[in-house]
Structures are given as C-alpha cells and as structure tokens.
Amino acid sequence: MLVANRGEIALRVIRACHDLGLRAIAVYSDVDRDALHVRAADAAYPIGAAAPRDSYLNAARIIEVAKRARCDAIHPGYGFLSENADFAQAVVDAGLVFVGPPARVQRLLGEKTAARRLARHVDVPVAEGTEPLRDVAAARAAANEIGYPVLLKPAGGGGGKGMRVVGRDQDFDAAWRGATGEATAAFGAPALYLERQIARARHIEMQILADGQGKVVWLGERDCSIQRRHQKLIEESPGPSVSENLRAKLGAAAVRIAERAGYVNAGTVEFLVDANGEFNFLEVNTRLQVEHPVTEVVTGLDVVALQLRIAGGEPLPFAQEEIVRRGAAIECRITAEDPLAGFTPASGLVALVREPAGPGIRIDSALFSGMAVPSEYDSLLAKVIAWGSDREEAIGRMRRALEEMRVAGIPTSLPFHRAALFDQEFITGRYDTEFVARWAARKTADLSDGTAAAAALAAVLAQRSRTERRALARADDPWSRAGREDALR
Amino acid sequence: MLVANRGEIALRVIRACHDLGLRAIAVYSDVDRDALHVRAADAAYPIGAAAPRDSYLNAARIIEVAKRARCDAIHPGYGFLSENADFAQAVVDAGLVFVGPPARVQRLLGEKTAARRLARHVDVPVAEGTEPLRDVAAARAAANEIGYPVLLKPAGGGGGKGMRVVGRDQDFDAAWRGATGEATAAFGAPALYLERQIARARHIEMQILADGQGKVVWLGERDCSIQRRHQKLIEESPGPSVSENLRAKLGAAAVRIAERAGYVNAGTVEFLVDANGEFNFLEVNTRLQVEHPVTEVVTGLDVVALQLRIAGGEPLPFAQEEIVRRGAAIECRITAEDPLAGFTPASGLVALVREPAGPGIRIDSALFSGMAVPSEYDSLLAKVIAWGSDREEAIGRMRRALEEMRVAGIPTSLPFHRAALFDQEFITGRYDTEFVARWAARKTADLSDGTAAAAALAAVLAQRSRTERRALARADDPWSRAGREDALR
Amino acid sequence: MRYEVTLDDRRLRVDLAGDGRFTIDDRVVAADVREIVRGRQWSIVLEGESHEITVVTHDPLRLDVDGRDVHATVSDERTLRAGRGAVGTRTGRVELRAPMPGLLKTVHVNEGDTVERDAPIVTLEAMKMENELVAPIRGRVTKLNHRSGTKVEGGAVLAILVAE
Amino acid sequence: MRYEVTLDDRRLRVDLAGDGRFTIDDRVVAADVREIVRGRQWSIVLEGESHEITVVTHDPLRLDVDGRDVHATVSDERTLRAGRGAVGTRTGRVELRAPMPGLLKTVHVNEGDTVERDAPIVTLEAMKMENELVAPIRGRVTKLNHRSGTKVEGGAVLAILVAE
C-alpha cells in the first residue's frame, strides 16, 4: 500500500495497514524527510520539492514510485489528489488499486452542480441555487434574484476552499474575483455557482460506506458547524440538534444519492440543516474526511480498514441494522494557527509537545518535539478525539485533554479550542456555522493570585534563561551551537 | 479529592477528577517532585522520603495533608494504603470520605481465609486449602495431605505478593521462610495458608460495582493469566476461553459474594478456572485494579468516575442488563524490568519516550522524557490498552502500538510484550498462568540484510556520538555539563 | 534583580534575590521551582498549589499556565530605568510582522492612516489561505515596508504602528 | 574508520569514509541518515526501506530497530587491533553488576565455582521484589565482591565470571 499523503492522515493510513499486517510505503517532499509518517512506514521515497505541485500533487511521480516499490494499491488520504478523478483513473490504468471511489464516481459528484441535480433526482432537497455561472454579470443577476446573502461556491471541488459569503451587491465583484482565484488554485477550474445562504444553519454530514457489490450503509452523522472560513475546527457525533428521526432521514437520503451515483468505498454526504430541522443537500465528499475518527469511536468501526477491505473487493461485513452507535464523540483540530491573531497560520520549530491521554482520549497526530512545521501545507497538526458515554462526559474529557496538552515553539489553535469547550453555545449544543465568527478572539485569563505569581516567576526565569543562552551562544563550539538552536526554538 | 498514590494510577485518578470538574490534590515523596501526577494536580504536597513507609504508606501524614488542603475525600489508588482497613477507618474518623470499600468490608475480605469461608457460604466453589497455618510443621503436614504442588499464600493480603508455588516436600521450608518474610514486608502480617495448585489454570477475575444502597452489578471478566511471579503482565477482556455461560456464572458468583460481604464501591473477585471450565474462588481485591481500563474500554463505563460517584453517595445509574460489552481489549503493562535478563527491575533516567496513539489505543502512563525512574516503587511505567471490534483487531492494533512505542535510557518489558503478541499460545488464546515461565527469554531478531545494515550503521553512529560527547564533556562549562548529562542518560 | 511582568492586563513586580529567594509585589513567596524542560517548562509548587508553566512562544511571550493561555511581557530594571519596557507595550510602537513566509496579496492602508484595533492592515497569502493581519492596537500607521504583490519572509516587519 | 558490529548473532563490518559515505561488508550503501534525537535516535532510509533505530541502553548496547529488540556491540579498528572487543564478548571476562540499588539477600556461589549459563549467582532485593541475577555465560566465578546481607549500589560489580 502506498500512502500518497503526509501529516497525521498519512500516519493514520499507515497505522491501518500495520493493524492489518500490511506493508505501508510513504512518500515525502524535501521538507518532510524527518516526519513521523516517513519513520512509521516500512519504506519511504522522496518525490520532490516542498511545493505541493512538485511532490504530493505530482501524480505521475507518485504512480512511478508505487510501481517501483511494487505496491498493489494507493491510498490518497484527504486533500491533495484524493478527489482528483484523473489521478484515480491513472492509478487504475497503471494496474494498481485506488483506495476510494472510482474516477467515474468522482467525476460525477466532483462537479458540484451535477451532484445537486443527482440529489434532486432521488428526491433529496437541495438548497436554492444555480448551475455554473458564465461570468460575473450573470452571477450578479442570479444573486439578485436569489436574494442576499448568497454563497459563491466553486463547481470544481468542495471542502470549503474558495467559498465566499456575499452580503450585498456592491461586494459581489471583489468576492467573485477572490473566489475565482482560489477555485483555480485549489481545483484548477475557475467555475463558480451560487447558493442561497441559510442563516443560523448547521453543517451536518453523513458518513457512508459502499462496497463493490452495491451495498450502501450509513454510519451516522457529524455536526461540523464550528468552522472558520469553511474550515472545520470542531466536529461531533451525534449532532446535538439531530433527532433520531432526522438522523434516519439524512441516512436514507445519503444512501439514495450514493446508490444513484454507483458509489463505492467511503464517502460523506453533506447537508445544511436550518433552525427548523429542514435539511438541504450540499455536496458529496468522495474521500476519507479529516473528522472520520468521530464516527469511528462512536460506531467502533475502523473506516480506513474498511476502505482497504472494500478496495480489495471484499463485501461490507455487516448490515445497516448491525451498526450500533454508542455514546458521544468530539474532535478538536489542533492547527498551526494563532486564534489570538485572527487565526494566522504559523510555521517553525515545535520545541515541545505533550499530547493528552487516558480514558476516552484518542490522538491522531503528526507532532513530535523538534518537528519543523513547514509553511507549504495545510495547518493541521493533531486531532484530539474525546469519547464519552454521553455528550457531557465527552465534553468533560475534552476539556481535560485540552488542558493537558502542551505545544510550544509555535502558536496553535489550542486557545480557541479551550475557550470553545466552555462556551455556553457549545455546552448547550445550540451553535451554528457562525460560531467562530461570533467568538470574541481574546478573553483575559482570570488567574488567581497564586497562579499569577507562579506565571510571573516562570516568565522571569524564561527571559533569564534565554538571555543567558544567547550570551553563551556567542562562543562557537558545537555545544553552544546546539544550545543556540534549542534557545531559538 | 486527595490522591494518595503515585505514578500512572495517581494520574488516572486526577484525570477522573478533572473530567468531572473536581479539584485534585497530589502527594509526593522526595524523589517524585517532577512526576506527572504532581504537575497534573491542582495542588501537591510533599509527604516525606522516598521509602514507601516514609511517604506513600504514611497514613497519618496523608490524612493531615488532606485536612490542611481542605479535601473532602481520599482515593488510595492500588497498592500502598488501598487495602489497609485501618487507613480506611482513619480517613472516615478524620471526617473525610474514603473512596473504596469501608474498613469493615476490607477487614472481612482482607483476611483471605475468612473470604474463602464467606464464598463457600454463598455456594461459590473454593479451591481446596487450609485456614491460616500455625507453623512450618503444621504447614508441611497440610501440604502433604493436599498433595504437591501447593501454593503458599499470605492470609493478610492479595495481589500476588509473597506467594510461593512449592513443588516438593524438600523445598517447603525455604519457601515458607521466603513467603513469611515477603508477607510481613507487604502486609505487616506473617500468616500464611495453603491452597492446592491447579495445573494449567487460568486466572479470571470479575469486575464488580456496588453502591451504598445495596445494588451490586458485574461488568465483565478479565483474563489475567499472563503473570510472572503472580505479577500480571498482560490482561484481556473478554477472556478468550470464557463462554457466555461461564461469564454469567462468574458474574453471579461475584455478586453473591459482594452482597454477602455488604460490599460498597469497586472491587474484583478473582477465580481460577481449570482446563475443564470448572472455577474456584481465589480472593477479592477490595480496590481499583491496575487492569481496570480493559473493562472500561469494553463496557464504555468509567470505573474511577463511578467510584467517585458511589463514594459521594450516588446510586449506580444503570441496571445489570444495561451494561453492554462491545469488542475486545488487551492491556500490556510496560514495566521497568528487563525481560532479556530474567525481568530484573531497572531504574534510572528515561532519555526518550514515544507512546503509541491512533485508532483503538489508550495510554495510561506516567512516563516522560527526562523522567528519573526511582528504585523504591513498583516497576510499572505505562499501560498500553488496545481495543478492537473483535480480538483479532485488538491484537493487530496492540502489535502495531508496541512496534510504535519507544522508551530509551532504561530497559523495559517491551521485548517480552512484543514477542508475546506473536506467540502462538497467545494468538489462539490457549495460554495459562505458566505462559511467562514457558516463554524462552531471548529470541534472535530475524533482520533482513537492509535492516541489519541500517542497524549496524546506527550502532556505529551511536558509539561515535557518545565517544565525542564524552570527550567534549571534559571541558567544564555549563553547556558541556548539560551535554554530559544528556550523553550519560 | 527586579522585573516588571505583565500577564494579560495584570502587572506584577518580581524580585529575584542572589540567594535564590524571591518576592512578588514585595511579598516573599515560598515556591518550589523545577525546570522540567530547559528554558521551556517549569513546575512551580507555590503555597501548596501546583503550577506548570510552558513558554509557548518567546516573541511575543505567550505562556501556557496550567492549560490556560496568557500573554506576558517581562522588563528588567535596566530597561525600566532606560524608560522603555517590552517592545510595544510602553513605547506605544508596534511592529506588525509576517508570521510566516508568503505573498503579500493586498495592503489595505496607507502610511499616515489612523486605524482602529483589529482593522485589516494587509492580506498575506500563505499555507494555501489568505490571511488578514489586523492592527494589534488602535494607532497611526507610520511605516509600510512592502508593496502588494511582493513575497515576504517570515518575521519581516510589514508595518509599524504608533498608539494614538 | 572501520568498525565491527554484532547484532544478536550476526556480524557486520562498517567502514565510515571521511567523505561521509560508508560501506557495509565492503558494499557501498546508499543511505539517507538523519539524527532525530541527539545520540539516541536515527532515521535511516536505505535503498528505499525506512528504518528508525533507537539506542535503548548504551551499556550493554541495546537497539530498538523498527520496533524490534536487538543486542549490539561495536568495536573500532583500534580496539580490534589491540585484540579486544566490547567488554565481555572477546576477553571472556564478564562482570555481573547490580541493575539497581538493593539488598544482597543471598549469594548462591563461591569463588572458584564453575556455573552454567543462567545459573543463579545472587538474589538482590529491590523494588519490593527478590530478583535472581543469573550467570550471563557459562564460566568460572573468579571474584565475589559482596557478602549476603550487604546493601549495594546500582551498578556495583557483584561478581566476575570468566568463560570456560
């Protein structure tokens, strides 16, 4: 098995291979040589420079490596080549197995307006919207017809990249230009379409699995409403606003769409649910998703292992009614972003890491002390997943886990996540997709006198330690050089 | 809540407190100042020198700290004061809550031959054996009557400490002396009794919970047969040899004993099961056990949180029939012992740690890089727990986890665990309490040419690096001193 | 040595005596201090309470205090005497730096503009995302070092603001 | 520099050239070597295969090679020329050391005794357990340094054996 990805998801797929006793082959760009996925794999091949197009998006090179290393199959992870139908086809043409939906399914569902038509065809409600738009003038006219606010979305791909909410007519042209640029960069296709923006909506998605024999099952939903710029920050399952009835409806709708599309392997059908529980189909993600562990810990199923079995031609080993969901799970995506400075991405050396552990905690992470976080890729560093027998227990454990976690050297999203888990909207489960936008960046920590004294003392010691080491680093022997590197982390 | 313990179990209890939003107070001996349990707690108090009797066994000092820190309750963990009835009573007398069975229950069940009588009284089969023995002559006579091999056991306490298997009459006197000494050291009571040794038996134990309102439930069994000198090394649930029928019988027997004893809080009833599935009662452990996580991940229940709720007077929030076991779990106890040198205990600096993570893996550990493992305490460093939807998946994940794990600086039991997970007896689930004794210490790693080349190269680089650093360390500035410390780890 | 420390909006005076004792706001404090990771992490038991403090970043100084996030500055008596404290907090002069290498997509202000706190100053494209860098204080933009469309290094000073 | 390395029962010759290249058993090997943790952990990609080697203990040298446990010894050409390799492996003289501080409960042998491999030499009480230390080789006990009932430090040489 060749794993055509990096970071935590590459490690996740390698672990699935090793859990099944399979060999796992990693690929890496020049800046990822020391990464955990390279060290965890049985074999590892360099595939080019740091820029994604030179390495992790270099389909030809990756297929060449797979053949050289005598792999049978390629798992694309998420992002990069995972929703690239041409890549899926090229893998098959090279005589290898592609772990994911076949190119035909990816083409059909990857064109977002075609997917909307398909959903409508099987009686799944779809948000009011347009076909791909010819030009900015046609788009503006459509926007005025639908009524502001509207959502500009790339027709060529999903996942939130290149999306823009437009609130009023005079902002439309700038948004169009920005979205066109990002859509081209992300999917190589500038085409955009419009959807009506639904206020205070929740982003609910349904995990599905389909085998090559035409059997499709749904595993349960995830509420992914806590997003910033359509990038998810917290996901949970079950959705706190989702009734048993709505869950069954979303599951059935997802299965209808998948069956109609001739879906094979794992996928996610995304919906927007409004305050009244009315739902609209958004899109299908034809790949493994970042947040799949939330479903795994609730169902006890290993989605990646099942992907491998399905890709190997095995039928699904269980029926819909055998899937049992238990308890509640929450995932926090710890990213190299500074929530106290508008979520600006950070890169640099990770000087220290301590990941939480203990009851109910799962960690999917690529972090290690001494790791250099490159600036070329997605900012996801680690996922903390907390399970509890109910949502309250899961929240308690997640709070504790976030409090235990330490990452030093670069800023991370931890301050956001720590605050979010104590946010009244989150606690009551009554949040929506505007949660992060409403989140007031900076709350002052309310420190007791003793805590403040200890913190002040440590601040002074840190300052002194740094000054001393800088002075020492002027002497130029190997030790002081090593010391300097430590100090400057 | 004051946590009167150290190591991973102190951290486990602190986590349970924090999961519930409770304050946790740690205590520490002189050598544990930097330990994770001290850093994770909200407050921490020194209680004396390294030797257990000066610190973690110093009941008066611990109760004094609990009152000074205004705690409401004390959790004793396992070992140390956890099965000391006088301590349980002293805690209550000081106006605090003892998290565990009351002194009366501990006294009743702590006297092992009294517990055997109680079990017989409620029609639970008990292994052939004696009352406490007056002297070595009486003991030898009893042993000859029962027939060799026999088991010499301390009447004053369980957990495998001070136990001796005696195979023949001429070894009896030496075994008696050794067991008397260890029993006195461990429990302050020299009394011993005899049991018939059951060949190829399995050690199966049943986890129970009892609330203050008289409700008792059983959570499921653990197979703990993989032991060395009666110290468990691997535990799993469900027991691979335990039928649904036997499980129900053991559960019912455990509940009968607990009810008869007026049991309150968590406990474990231990049985020996022979090759025909016939079972005999062994003893009750009136405390939380090391291996409780195995039951937690299978049932989804938090045994420590439930201990706290029960101690707070709450009734058990579920009925027997609501307890659902799912999948299979295995725990490996990673100890500071060298299995390649007869499991000799090790102490010293931990230079590097990497703990496994990912799907199905839970870690309960007190390890960190730079940790000094003291020689005064139990050698347990970390517990790796793997869950799978079936035993095969759990084994696959555990193998992978053990392969991922790194501990450097001191030898650990990892080589044993790694080998055991590939042992045919373990794979088929047909092991018994003699597994470790039969385990041939040293298997030569079968390295491929490439792996051997890489290992040889690293060995040379390690040697050079060490030699160079030693040379550098002769210069005496602060950096080289720090370097020397690193190098000598 | 005397230091002035700020923690978010709180100010404390720390005196380190030569004998290793120290006072905080002129009160002698009994603390057991252990450096767990050199220059990065300390465990401090202070009047029974157990604290773990980790330096998340040095510049700006961000601390993780028992799992809570705190902004800090430290000024020693020499810099205090010289009339200036940590960068930005006393002089009122703040540098806006690129948090990472990237492409300066847009500069939203002109030199001389007065901007509100959190007003967008520049848009930096990095990690496949557009990132708006905002004004950390209300103030006047006294310097803009780069034009739109230029690539900038991580740490490059993009703008200088002076508090108003 | 030339080294002789043993890995369990396998023997390899490693030559490190001044230019950073190296040969193993006279075969030039293309390897990408990275030191991940100073003096402790290396990542080596060798002909496509990815290996991670960690030094578990230095003395004796125990390696973790991709999650497998390997005993190793390293002798450089100087010690090879001098006719002696790693302690115990070539001279046949082995020191039995206390793995940790403890009480020497029993000494099971006398000086001059010849013992089988794995025969008990002493019983050391430590960590609340009695630990039997066994003979690592078949050989003659040439020295016993401590009597029963004495406390010994970690690392103390308890006995010396010479291979027979």
Side-chain angles (χ1 to χ4, degrees):
Chain A
M1 174 69 53
L2 183 136
V3 184
N5 216 301
R6 65 180 298 281
E8 69 85 21
I9 195 60
L11 196 57
R12 169 71 186 89
V13 177
I14 290 167
R15 282 173 168 154
C17 293
H18 288 172
D19 287 350
L20 296 169
L22 304 174
R23 247 173 87 82
I25 318 295
V27 292
Y28 59 95
S29 77
D30 293 351
V31 293
D32 279 343
R33 169 61 184 86
D34 294 349
L36 279 184
H37 78 278
V38 174
R39 289 190 269 150
D42 299 288
Y45 292 87
I47 48 166
R53 68 177 172 283
D54 296 330
S55 47
Y56 299 106
L57 286 173
N58 187 343
R61 177 95 177 97
I62 287 168
I63 292 171
E64 181 197 317
V65 165
K67 293 173 83 167
R68 173 144 55 101
R70 270 165 288 145
C71 297
D72 306 315
I74 297 183
H75 193 302
Y78 52 68
F80 295 128
L81 295 165
S82 62
E83 290 182 288
N84 182 321
D86 294 341
F87 177 67
Q89 191 57 54
V91 169
V92 172
D93 292 346
L96 304 168
V97 173
F98 178 80
V99 183
R104 137 189 89 68
V105 173
Q106 298 219 29
R107 281 212 182 85
L108 175 60
L109 298 173
E111 211 292 288
K112 297 300 166 187
T113 55
R116 285 160 52 86
R117 281 195 300 275
L118 185 148
R120 240 185 255 113
H121 206 276
V122 291
D123 296 324
V124 175
V126 171
E128 191 180 341
T130 71
E131 290 294 302
L133 297 157
R134 206 173 51 248
D135 55 32
V136 65
R140 263 179 91 158
N144 278 307
E145 195 178 317
I146 290 173
Y148 287 95
V150 294
L151 215 47
L152 260 178
K153 298 173 87 170
K161 298 244 159 43
M163 272 172 63
R164 284 283 195 289
V165 180
V166 195
R168 47 187 199 168
D169 188 61
Q170 52 265 55
D171 298 337
F172 196 88
D173 289 13
W176 175 271
R177 277 196 304 278
T180 304
E182 279 188 36
T184 310
F187 311 110
L192 301 174
Y193 69 103
L194 272 179
E195 249 179 42
R196 194 153 71 86
Q197 162 81 344
I198 297 170
R200 301 198 66 90
R202 305 181 71 120
H203 177 114
I204 310 283
E205 59 185 30
M206 184 57 69
Q207 176 73 51
I208 57 159
L209 285 173
D211 64 21
Q213 284 80 55
K215 181 155 127 196
V216 186
V217 297
W218 57 272
L219 305 192
E221 84 286 4
R222 297 182 286 257
D223 189 326
C224 309
S225 303
I226 299 189
Q227 314 183 341
R228 181 180 169 277
R229 294 175 168 190
H230 310 290
Q231 298 295 317
K232 298 160 191 170
L233 285 164
I234 304 180
E235 302 97 347
E236 63 174 316
S237 184
S241 69
V242 177
S243 65
E244 199 54 62
N245 181 32
L246 176 59
R247 180 175 303 116
K249 275 197 223 167
L250 295 175
V255 167
R256 283 207 304 281
I257 290 169
E259 283 174 346
R260 179 77 187 189
Y263 205 94
V264 181
N265 216 289
T268 300
V269 183
E270 298 194 332
F271 300 95
L272 219 51
V273 179
D274 71 15
N276 304 318
E278 299 298 317
F279 67 91
N280 280 310
F281 168 77
L282 278 181
E283 66 180 39
V284 182
N285 290 138
T286 53
R287 55 170 166 81
L288 184 66
Q289 280 193 297
V290 180
E291 59 271 26
H292 74 275
V294 157
T295 301
E296 292 186 325
V297 298
V298 167
T299 59
L301 299 172
D302 187 323
V303 172
V304 180
L306 287 162
Q307 282 195 297
L308 301 182
R309 289 185 192 281
I310 291 168
E314 292 182 36
L316 279 170
F318 45 76
Q320 180 66 56
E321 54 278 11
E322 290 173 88
I323 299 166
V324 179
R325 285 171 292 281
R326 171 154 99 172
I330 304 170
E331 173 180 281
C332 288
R333 297 192 190 186
I334 310 302
T335 61
E337 294 179 323
D338 187 352
L340 307 181
F343 288 88
T344 24
S347 56
L349 272 179
V350 175
L352 176 156
V353 180
R354 185 176 68 212
E355 286 170 347
I361 301 302
R362 166 172 164 186
I363 305 290
D364 278 21
S365 163
L367 277 172
F368 62 97
S369 283
M371 175 194 192
V373 176
S375 60
E376 285 83 0
Y377 311 113
D378 186 88
S379 58
L380 183 61
L381 298 174
K383 303 185 303 203
V384 179
I385 302 107
W387 180 90
S389 56
D390 55 25
R391 189 168 185 266
E392 189 190 346
E393 188 174 57
I395 290 177
R397 286 173 168 173
M398 180 61 91
R399 285 178 179 167
R400 184 261 300 170
L402 296 172
E403 195 180 295
E404 272 182 29
M405 188 163 187
R406 300 284 178 275
V407 183
I410 54 168
T412 71
S413 61
L414 267 175
F416 165 77
H417 285 109
R418 286 168 172 172
L421 265 284
F422 282 93
D423 188 290
Q424 205 50 41
E425 277 187 35
F426 184 80
I427 293 167
T428 57
R430 280 199 300 270
Y431 55 82
D432 57 52
T433 51
E434 302 301 307
F435 179 88
V436 183
R438 280 193 301 273
W439 184 68
R442 184 87 191 96
K443 273 157 197 128
T444 299
D446 185 22
L447 305 177
S448 72
D449 287 353
T451 306
L457 186 54
V460 167
L461 295 173
Q463 179 89 345
R464 281 167 63 103
S465 161
R466 203 168 178 229
T467 313
E468 279 164 20
R469 271 182 293 163
R470 282 195 160 159
L472 272 166
R474 277 177 213 131
D476 208 34
D477 67 36
W479 279 112
S480 65
R481 240 180 289 131
R484 188 168 55 213
E485 283 155 21
D486 281 0
L488 298 181
R489 263 180 202 169
Chain B
M1 175 69 53
L2 184 137
V3 184
N5 216 303
R6 64 180 300 281
E8 69 84 21
I9 195 60
L11 196 58
R12 169 71 186 89
V13 177
I14 291 167
R15 281 173 169 155
C17 293
H18 288 172
D19 287 352
L20 296 168
L22 304 174
R23 248 174 87 81
I25 318 296
V27 292
Y28 59 95
S29 75
D30 292 353
V31 292
D32 278 343
R33 169 61 186 86
D34 294 349
L36 280 185
H37 79 278
V38 174
R39 290 190 270 150
D42 299 287
Y45 292 87
I47 48 165
R53 68 177 172 282
D54 297 330
S55 47
Y56 300 106
L57 285 174
N58 187 341
R61 177 97 177 97
I62 288 170
I63 291 171
E64 180 198 315
V65 165
K67 293 175 85 168
R68 173 144 56 100
R70 270 165 289 147
C71 297
D72 306 316
I74 297 184
H75 193 302
Y78 52 68
F80 294 128
L81 295 166
S82 63
E83 290 181 288
N84 182 321
D86 294 340
F87 177 67
Q89 191 57 53
V91 169
V92 172
D93 292 345
L96 304 167
V97 172
F98 178 78
V99 182
R104 139 189 87 69
V105 172
Q106 299 219 28
R107 282 214 181 85
L108 176 60
L109 298 173
E111 211 294 288
K112 297 301 166 189
T113 54
R116 285 161 52 88
R117 280 196 300 276
L118 186 148
R120 240 183 255 116
H121 205 278
V122 291
D123 297 324
V124 174
V126 172
E128 189 179 344
T130 71
E131 291 294 302
L133 298 156
R134 206 172 51 246
D135 53 31
V136 64
R140 263 179 92 156
N144 278 306
E145 192 177 319
I146 290 173
Y148 286 96
V150 295
L151 216 46
L152 259 179
K153 299 173 85 171
K161 297 244 160 39
M163 273 172 64
R164 286 283 196 290
V165 179
V166 195
R168 46 185 200 167
D169 187 61
Q170 52 264 56
D171 298 337
F172 196 87
D173 288 13
W176 174 270
R177 276 195 305 278
T180 304
E182 277 188 39
T184 311
F187 311 110
L192 301 173
Y193 68 103
L194 272 178
E195 249 180 43
R196 194 154 69 87
Q197 163 81 342
I198 296 170
R200 299 197 70 89
R202 306 181 68 119
H203 177 113
I204 309 283
E205 59 185 29
M206 182 58 66
Q207 176 73 52
I208 58 158
L209 285 173
D211 63 21
Q213 284 81 56
K215 183 155 127 193
V216 186
V217 297
W218 57 271
L219 305 191
E221 85 287 4
R222 298 182 286 257
D223 189 325
C224 308
S225 304
I226 301 190
Q227 314 183 341
R228 184 181 167 276
R229 293 177 169 192
H230 310 289
Q231 297 297 315
K232 297 160 191 169
L233 285 164
I234 304 180
E235 301 98 348
E236 64 173 315
S237 184
S241 68
V242 177
S243 65
E244 198 56 60
N245 181 33
L246 177 59
R247 180 175 304 114
K249 275 198 223 165
L250 295 175
V255 167
R256 282 206 306 281
I257 290 170
E259 282 174 346
R260 177 80 186 186
Y263 206 92
V264 181
N265 217 289
T268 299
V269 183
E270 299 194 332
F271 299 95
L272 218 53
V273 179
D274 71 15
N276 305 320
E278 298 299 316
F279 66 91
N280 280 310
F281 168 78
L282 278 181
E283 66 180 37
V284 183
N285 289 138
T286 54
R287 54 168 168 84
L288 184 67
Q289 280 192 297
V290 179
E291 58 271 26
H292 74 276
V294 157
T295 301
E296 292 187 326
V297 299
V298 166
T299 59
L301 299 173
D302 187 323
V303 172
V304 181
L306 287 162
Q307 281 196 297
L308 301 182
R309 290 185 191 281
I310 290 168
E314 292 182 37
L316 278 171
F318 44 76
Q320 181 67 55
E321 52 278 12
E322 290 173 87
I323 299 167
V324 179
R325 285 170 292 281
R326 172 153 99 173
I330 304 170
E331 172 179 282
C332 288
R333 297 192 189 185
I334 310 301
T335 61
E337 294 178 323
D338 186 352
L340 307 182
F343 287 88
T344 21
S347 56
L349 273 178
V350 175
L352 176 156
V353 180
R354 185 175 71 211
E355 285 169 348
I361 301 301
R362 166 174 164 186
I363 306 290
D364 278 22
S365 163
L367 278 172
F368 62 96
S369 284
M371 174 193 193
V373 176
S375 60
E376 286 83 1
Y377 311 114
D378 186 90
S379 59
L380 182 62
L381 298 174
K383 300 184 304 203
V384 179
I385 302 108
W387 179 90
S389 56
D390 55 25
R391 190 169 185 266
E392 189 189 347
E393 190 174 54
I395 289 177
R397 285 173 168 172
M398 181 61 90
R399 285 178 180 168
R400 185 259 301 167
L402 295 173
E403 194 179 294
E404 272 181 30
M405 188 162 188
R406 299 284 177 274
V407 182
I410 55 168
T412 71
S413 60
L414 267 174
F416 165 77
H417 285 108
R418 286 168 173 171
L421 265 284
F422 282 94
D423 187 290
Q424 205 51 40
E425 275 187 38
F426 184 80
I427 294 168
T428 57
R430 280 200 297 269
Y431 54 84
D432 57 54
T433 50
E434 302 301 308
F435 180 88
V436 183
R438 281 192 300 272
W439 183 67
R442 182 88 192 98
K443 272 154 198 132
T444 299
D446 185 23
L447 305 176
S448 72
D449 287 353
T451 306
L457 187 54
V460 167
L461 295 174
Q463 178 90 343
R464 280 168 65 102
S465 161
R466 202 167 177 231
T467 313
E468 279 165 21
R469 273 181 294 160
R470 285 196 157 159
L472 273 166
R474 278 174 213 135
D476 207 34
D477 67 38
W479 279 111
S480 63
R481 239 179 293 133
R484 188 169 51 210
E485 282 156 22
D486 283 1
L488 297 183
R489 264 180 200 169
Chain C
M1 191 72 156
R2 164 164 292 204
Y3 298 86
E4 192 169 294
V5 178
T6 66
L7 302 168
D8 290 339
D9 50 4
R10 188 170 182 148
R11 190 161 295 187
L12 294 95
R13 219 167 41 250
V14 178
D15 285 273
L16 289 192
D19 60 359
R21 293 190 316 159
F22 48 86
T23 62
I24 288 174
D25 288 345
D26 297 325
R27 206 161 61 87
V28 178
V29 172
D32 175 8
V33 179
R34 310 277 296 207
E35 189 173 27
I36 302 290
V37 178
R38 199 163 53 186
R40 272 290 169 189
Q41 193 170 55
W42 286 266
S43 167
I44 300 182
V45 176
L46 192 148
E47 289 164 0
E49 302 292 295
S50 174
H51 304 286
E52 190 189 69
I53 296 102
T54 308
V55 176
V56 176
T57 56
H58 279 114
D59 199 5
L61 185 57
R62 294 247 194 107
L63 305 178
D64 181 309
V65 180
D66 299 329
R68 282 184 291 169
D69 304 281
V70 179
H71 277 250
T73 64
V74 178
S75 316
D76 65 27
E77 57 191 350
R78 261 173 309 157
T79 50
L80 285 175
R81 266 199 302 272
R84 41 180 295 273
V87 181
T89 50
R90 308 195 143 246
T91 61
R93 181 178 170 281
V94 178
E95 294 174 345
L96 187 74
R97 288 169 182 268
M100 57 193 328
L103 176 69
L104 201 59
K105 251 325 215 342
T106 323
V107 178
H108 301 288
V109 294
N110 295 308
E111 286 185 5
D113 284 3
T114 294
V115 294
E116 293 300 312
R117 188 166 187 267
D118 291 334
I121 304 295
V122 301
T123 301
L124 184 72
E125 193 183 84
M127 279 183 162
K128 301 191 292 177
M129 300 271 287
E130 294 191 358
N131 306 286
E132 248 175 26
L133 305 186
V134 301
I137 55 165
R138 185 181 186 283
R140 196 160 49 81
V141 179
T142 58
K143 188 96 178 80
L144 288 167
N145 289 329
H146 302 274
R147 275 176 310 171
S148 302
T150 46
K151 288 205 168 184
V152 295
E153 292 299 307
V157 177
L158 305 176
I160 295 171
L161 280 81
V162 172
E164 291 228 319
Chain D
M1 190 75 156
R2 166 166 289 207
Y3 298 85
E4 192 169 295
V5 178
T6 66
L7 301 168
D8 290 339
D9 50 4
R10 191 171 179 145
R11 190 161 295 190
L12 294 96
R13 217 167 41 250
V14 178
D15 284 274
L16 290 192
D19 60 0
R21 293 190 315 159
F22 48 86
T23 61
I24 290 176
D25 288 345
D26 297 324
R27 206 162 61 86
V28 178
V29 172
D32 175 8
V33 179
R34 312 276 297 207
E35 189 173 27
I36 302 291
V37 177
R38 200 164 53 187
R40 272 289 171 192
Q41 192 171 55
W42 286 265
S43 166
I44 300 182
V45 176
L46 192 148
E47 289 163 2
E49 300 292 296
S50 175
H51 304 286
E52 189 188 71
I53 296 100
T54 308
V55 176
V56 176
T57 56
H58 279 114
D59 199 5
L61 186 56
R62 293 247 194 106
L63 305 178
D64 181 309
V65 180
D66 299 330
R68 281 184 291 170
D69 304 281
V70 178
H71 276 251
T73 64
V74 178
S75 317
D76 65 26
E77 57 191 349
R78 262 173 308 155
T79 50
L80 285 175
R81 266 200 303 272
R84 45 181 292 272
V87 182
T89 49
R90 303 192 151 251
T91 62
R93 182 178 170 282
V94 178
E95 293 174 348
L96 187 73
R97 286 169 184 270
M100 54 193 330
L103 175 70
L104 201 60
K105 250 330 219 332
T106 323
V107 178
H108 302 287
V109 295
N110 295 308
E111 287 186 4
D113 285 3
T114 294
V115 294
E116 292 302 311
R117 189 166 187 269
D118 290 334
I121 304 295
V122 299
T123 301
L124 184 72
E125 193 183 82
M127 282 182 158
K128 302 193 291 178
M129 300 271 288
E130 293 191 357
N131 306 286
E132 246 173 29
L133 304 186
V134 301
I137 55 166
R138 183 179 188 286
R140 197 159 49 83
V141 180
T142 58
K143 188 98 181 74
L144 288 168
N145 289 328
H146 301 275
R147 275 176 312 172
S148 300
T150 47
K151 286 202 170 187
V152 295
E153 291 300 304
V157 177
L158 305 177
I160 295 172
L161 280 81
V162 173
E164 291 226 322

